[in-house]
Amino acid sequence: MDCAECGFVYDLALSNETSRLARAYAAEYRELLALDPERLRRRVSAEVWSPLEYACHVRDVLLAQRERVLAARRESLPTTVPMGRDERVEHEGYNDQHPEDVARQLADAAMLFGNVLDRLGPADWNREILYAYPERSIRTLRWLAVHTLHELRHHLLDMRRKLAVAGR
């Protein structure tokens, strides 16, 4: 399940590096979120999120994934609940949030997510969850970690693309 759009390869060996890489990606988001707030809020079209909205989404993905890891440690085969990615944009007012706050929160979310991963033992990585995306299937925490890295990388690319268009 590699991503043709961003070039991400779902290599489960990356799971051992997820904590460190998530923090590194958060630093890249922080750099982008230091740009002009109006540029960060600009949508290239009504249907496409702004760079700020992408950053808010990533912050919330990290928090949702953290809770999913914790649930998998408490329960046998928990079912993930969709996070309502599209609804959150409006419900949480993503485009009205302050970029510097989002940068700080995203860094904190990466740290919190990384902390739960750092506490996993060898057997924990194979604990399973019933994951709803992209189709309902049983996934391991190792896969969840790598999938989260894909989200971080892919949406960083989305932000950069939107900022390039918004800068014209």
Side-chain angles (χ1 to χ4, degrees):
M1 178 178 137
D2 298 340
C3 182
E5 186 179 346
C6 75
F8 186 84
V9 175
Y10 273 73
D11 177 0
L12 295 183
L14 284 173
S15 60
N16 296 322
E17 296 294 315
T18 299
S19 177
R20 180 185 62 77
L21 291 170
R23 290 179 180 104
Y25 277 125
E28 290 186 55
Y29 279 94
R30 177 179 292 277
E31 287 178 25
L32 294 179
L33 288 164
L35 299 173
D36 174 44
E38 290 312 308
R39 191 169 160 212
L40 290 166
R41 288 186 173 91
R42 194 170 303 138
R43 283 184 163 206
V44 296
S45 69
E47 309 79 40
V48 178
W49 292 350
S50 71
L52 179 58
E53 289 168 326
Y54 276 111
C56 290
H57 168 68
V58 169
R59 173 203 57 206
D60 290 351
V61 163
L62 287 164
L63 295 172
Q65 297 296 66
R66 173 182 180 260
E67 290 306 315
R68 291 167 176 165
V69 170
L70 291 169
R73 294 201 66 196
R74 290 188 310 269
E75 306 169 36
S76 176
L77 198 62
T79 300
T80 61
V81 176
M83 63 181 280
R85 61 174 275 163
D86 293 318
E87 296 84 0
R88 283 176 185 253
V89 175
E90 181 184 331
H91 294 173
E92 293 199 36
Y94 279 179
N95 230 16
D96 297 326
Q97 295 183 25
H98 298 286
E100 63 275 5
D101 293 339
V102 175
R104 185 188 68 253
Q105 293 160 357
L106 202 152
D108 288 344
M111 185 267 310
L112 290 166
F113 178 64
N115 179 59
V116 298
L117 295 182
D118 289 343
R119 301 181 63 77
L120 295 176
D124 294 324
W125 284 103
N126 294 318
R127 292 189 65 82
E128 295 177 327
I129 57 172
L130 186 55
Y131 205 83
Y133 180 85
E135 67 272 336
R136 198 171 186 80
S137 58
I138 295 174
R139 302 289 188 173
T140 65
L141 291 185
R142 192 170 299 285
W143 178 89
L144 181 140
V146 172
H147 179 65
T148 305
L149 281 180
H150 173 242
E151 287 277 319
L152 287 162
R153 176 182 166 149
H154 194 105
H155 294 314
L156 192 59
L157 177 62
D158 288 330
M159 278 185 73
R160 287 186 175 131
R161 286 178 182 159
K162 301 320 175 250
L163 285 165
V165 172
R168 291 186 206 148

